[in-house]
Every structure is written in C-alpha cells, then in structure tokens.
Coordinates of all heavy atoms in Angstrom, one line a residue:
R1 N -7.3 -4.1 0.2 CA -7.6 -5.5 0.1 C -6.8 -6.2 -0.9 O -6.2 -7.3 -0.8 CB -9.1 -5.7 -0.2 CG -9.6 -7.0 0.1 CD -11.2 -7.1 0.1 NE -11.9 -6.0 0.8 CZ -12.6 -5.1 0.2 NH1 -12.9 -5.1 -1.2 NH2 -13.2 -4.1 0.9
E2 N -6.6 -5.5 -2.0 CA -5.6 -6.1 -3.1 C -4.3 -6.1 -2.6 O -3.6 -7.2 -3.0 CB -5.9 -5.1 -4.3 CG -5.0 -5.5 -5.6 CD -5.1 -4.5 -6.7 OE1 -6.1 -4.2 -7.1 OE2 -4.0 -4.0 -7.1
M3 N -3.8 -5.2 -1.9 CA -2.4 -5.2 -1.5 C -2.3 -6.4 -0.4 O -1.2 -7.1 -0.4 CB -2.1 -3.9 -0.8 CG -1.9 -2.8 -1.9 SD -1.6 -1.2 -1.0 CE -0.1 -1.4 -0.2
Q4 N -3.3 -6.6 0.3 CA -3.1 -7.7 1.3 C -3.1 -9.1 0.7 O -2.4 -10.0 1.1 CB -4.3 -7.6 2.2 CG -4.2 -8.7 3.4 CD -5.5 -8.4 4.2 OE1 -6.4 -7.6 4.1 NE2 -5.6 -9.3 5.3
E5 N -3.9 -9.2 -0.4 CA -3.9 -10.6 -1.1 C -2.8 -10.8 -2.0 O -2.3 -11.9 -2.1 CB -5.2 -10.6 -1.9 CG -6.5 -10.6 -1.1 CD -7.8 -10.5 -1.9 OE1 -7.7 -10.4 -3.2 OE2 -8.9 -10.6 -1.3
S6 N -2.2 -9.8 -2.7 CA -1.2 -10.0 -3.7 C 0.2 -9.4 -3.4 O 1.1 -9.7 -4.1 CB -1.7 -9.4 -5.1 OG -1.9 -8.0 -5.0
K7 N 0.3 -8.5 -2.4 CA 1.5 -7.9 -2.0 C 2.2 -7.1 -3.1 O 3.4 -6.9 -3.0 CB 2.5 -9.0 -1.5 CG 2.0 -9.9 -0.4 CD 1.8 -9.1 0.9 CE 1.5 -10.1 2.0 NZ 0.8 -9.4 3.0
N8 N 1.4 -6.6 -4.1 CA 2.0 -5.7 -5.1 C 1.9 -4.4 -4.6 O 0.9 -3.8 -4.1 CB 1.5 -5.9 -6.4 CG 0.0 -5.5 -6.6 OD1 -0.6 -5.3 -5.6 ND2 -0.5 -5.4 -7.8
E9 N 3.0 -3.6 -4.7 CA 3.1 -2.3 -4.3 C 3.5 -1.3 -5.4 O 4.4 -1.6 -6.2 CB 4.0 -2.0 -3.1 CG 3.6 -2.9 -1.9 CD 4.6 -2.7 -0.7 OE1 5.8 -2.4 -1.0 OE2 4.2 -3.1 0.4
L10 N 2.8 -0.2 -5.6 CA 3.1 0.8 -6.6 C 4.2 1.7 -6.4 O 4.9 2.3 -7.3 CB 1.7 1.5 -7.0 CG 0.5 0.7 -7.5 CD1 -0.6 1.4 -7.7 CD2 0.9 -0.1 -8.7
L11 N 4.5 2.0 -5.1 CA 5.5 3.0 -4.8 C 6.7 2.2 -4.2 O 6.6 1.1 -3.8 CB 5.0 4.0 -3.7 CG 3.7 4.8 -4.1 CD1 3.3 5.7 -2.9 CD2 4.0 5.6 -5.3
H12 N 7.9 2.8 -4.3 CA 9.1 2.3 -3.8 C 9.1 2.3 -2.2 O 9.7 1.4 -1.7 CB 10.3 3.0 -4.4 CG 10.4 2.8 -5.9 ND1 10.7 1.6 -6.6 CD2 10.2 3.6 -6.9 CE1 10.7 1.7 -7.8 NE2 10.4 3.0 -8.1
S13 N 8.6 3.3 -1.6 CA 8.7 3.4 -0.1 C 7.4 4.0 0.3 O 6.8 4.8 -0.3 CB 9.9 4.2 0.3 OG 9.8 5.5 -0.1
Y14 N 7.0 3.6 1.6 CA 5.8 4.2 2.2 C 6.1 4.6 3.6 O 7.1 4.2 4.3 CB 4.7 3.0 2.3 CG 4.3 2.5 1.0 CD1 4.9 1.4 0.3 CD2 3.1 3.1 0.4 CE1 4.4 0.9 -0.9 CE2 2.7 2.6 -0.9 CZ 3.3 1.6 -1.5 OH 2.8 1.1 -2.6
N15 N 5.4 5.7 4.0 CA 5.5 6.1 5.5 C 4.6 5.2 6.3 O 4.9 5.0 7.5 CB 5.0 7.5 5.6 CG 5.9 8.5 4.9 OD1 7.2 8.3 4.7 ND2 5.3 9.6 4.4
S16 N 3.6 4.7 5.9 CA 2.6 3.9 6.7 C 3.0 2.4 6.7 O 3.6 1.9 5.6 CB 1.2 4.1 6.1 OG 0.3 3.3 6.8
H17 N 2.6 1.7 7.6 CA 2.9 0.3 7.7 C 1.7 -0.5 7.4 O 1.6 -1.8 7.1 CB 3.4 -0.2 9.1 CG 4.7 0.5 9.5 ND1 6.0 0.2 8.9 CD2 5.0 1.5 10.4 CE1 6.9 0.9 9.4 NE2 6.3 1.8 10.3
K18 N 0.5 0.2 7.5 CA -0.8 -0.6 7.2 C -1.2 -0.3 5.7 O -0.9 0.7 5.2 CB -1.9 0.0 8.2 CG -1.5 -0.3 9.6 CD -2.7 0.1 10.5 CE -2.2 -0.3 12.0 NZ -3.3 0.1 12.9
N19 N -2.0 -1.3 5.2 CA -2.3 -1.2 3.8 C -3.2 -0.1 3.5 O -3.1 0.5 2.3 CB -2.9 -2.6 3.4 CG -2.0 -3.7 3.3 OD1 -0.8 -3.5 3.2 ND2 -2.5 -4.9 3.6
V20 N -4.2 0.3 4.3 CA -5.0 1.5 4.0 C -4.2 2.7 3.9 O -4.4 3.6 3.0 CB -6.1 1.6 5.1 CG1 -6.9 2.9 4.9 CG2 -7.1 0.3 5.1
G21 N -3.2 2.9 4.9 CA -2.4 4.1 4.8 C -1.5 4.0 3.5 O -1.4 5.1 2.8
K22 N -1.0 2.9 3.1 CA -0.3 2.8 1.9 C -1.1 3.1 0.7 O -0.7 3.8 -0.2 CB 0.3 1.4 1.7 CG 1.3 1.0 2.7 CD 1.9 -0.4 2.5 CE 2.9 -0.8 3.5 NZ 3.4 -2.2 3.3
A23 N -2.4 2.7 0.6 CA -3.3 3.0 -0.4 C -3.5 4.4 -0.5 O -3.5 5.0 -1.7 CB -4.6 2.2 -0.3
L24 N -3.7 5.1 0.6 CA -3.9 6.6 0.6 C -2.7 7.3 0.1 O -2.8 8.4 -0.5 CB -4.4 7.1 1.9 CG -5.7 6.6 2.4 CD1 -6.0 7.0 3.9 CD2 -6.8 7.2 1.5
E25 N -1.5 6.8 0.5 CA -0.2 7.3 0.0 C -0.1 7.3 -1.6 O 0.3 8.2 -2.3 CB 0.9 6.7 0.7 CG 1.2 7.1 2.2 CD 2.3 6.5 2.6 OE1 3.4 6.4 2.0 OE2 2.3 6.1 3.8
E26 N -0.6 6.1 -2.1 CA -0.7 5.9 -3.6 C -1.6 6.9 -4.2 O -1.3 7.5 -5.3 CB -1.0 4.5 -4.0 CG 0.0 3.5 -3.6 CD -0.4 2.1 -3.9 OE1 -1.6 1.8 -4.1 OE2 0.4 1.1 -3.6
V27 N -2.7 7.3 -3.6 CA -3.6 8.3 -4.1 C -2.9 9.6 -4.2 O -3.0 10.3 -5.0 CB -4.9 8.3 -3.4 CG1 -5.8 9.5 -3.8 CG2 -5.8 7.0 -3.6
A28 N -2.3 10.0 -3.0 CA -1.6 11.2 -2.9 C -0.4 11.4 -3.9 O -0.2 12.5 -4.5 CB -1.1 11.4 -1.5

C-alpha cells in the first residue's frame, strides 16, 4: 500500500511487477 501511494522502492530491481510481490522480495 505504501509503495502504491508513494512509489518509493528499497531495491534496485525486482522480479515481480506487482507491489505485493515487490514487498515480499524486500523481506527476502
């Protein structure tokens, strides 16, 4: 939800295109 509202990303690249997948990648 935070990523959807503010578009800030913690990683340089993601495998997922959806925000929930990106959030789980950040946890991993």
Side-chain angles (χ1 to χ4, degrees):
R1 200 172 310 118
E2 179 183 306
M3 289 172 65
Q4 183 177 0
E5 293 172 357
S6 65
K7 303 290 186 207
N8 67 344
E9 297 179 341
L10 298 177
L11 302 179
H12 295 290
S13 64
Y14 295 90
N15 292 331
S16 179
H17 299 287
K18 297 184 178 182
N19 290 333
V20 173
K22 289 179 182 181
L24 292 173
E25 288 182 39
E26 291 176 354
V27 172

